[in-house]
Amino acid sequence: MRGKLITVEGIDGSGKSTLCAGLSEHFADRLVALREPGGVGLSEQIRVLVKDPELEISAQAEALLFAAARAQLVSEKLRPLLDSGRSVLLDRFVDSSLAYQGAGRGLGIAAVQAINELATAGLTPDLTLLIRVTPELAAQRMSEDDRLERAGSDFFADVTQAYDRLAAAESGRFVVLDGALPKQEILAAAVKVVSGAL
């Protein structure tokens, strides 16, 4: 039986990494935790590139770099794990590219969806946890030490709206969590949802 793919989404500063760490600890025996971009050698090297604040990267190149990192992760690690029956907790997946590059960078959801369809060979999550915070709250939490975090308030407003639209369009897959709540409350709500999915 194929394992479950559970993804965690949200804008920078929403608390994704904190939630992923909590879920990874709680479900240590039942979930393999991975991150995007990253998780395998090539993808980790691409991660360094896309986060480098010294680099100028066009919107198109950015979308293709994320898709390339994703393609390698899916091929090398993600699909083999799922096919072997292991369930995976993934910090970001295709929805990030749809929101960030499709909406935030203005490339269009359909165009970004198309390159990611190729990158993932059609792999979609069984469950997506979206941590919803306002761009203002997220900005207070960001360190701005990477290229994407410096994109500005208008960019993150567009990304937030895109996430809201994605969640509304696929309400059966998305569970929206209030990122303004205390960390332990968010984790408790997420544990309940993930337990049901597993």
Side-chain angles (χ1 to χ4, degrees), residues 18-19 22 25-26 178 181-191:
T18 301
L19 179 60
E25 189 177 332
H26 190 276
D178 182 355
L181 293 172
K183 293 173 188 176
Q184 288 309 312
E185 286 186 37
I186 300 170
L187 177 59
V191 163

Side-chain angles (χ1 to χ4, degrees), residues 110-129:
V112 176
Q113 180 77 60
I115 61 171
N116 279 280
E117 186 74 21
L118 174 64
T120 65
L123 181 64
T124 56
D126 298 286
L127 168 67
T128 298
L129 303 173

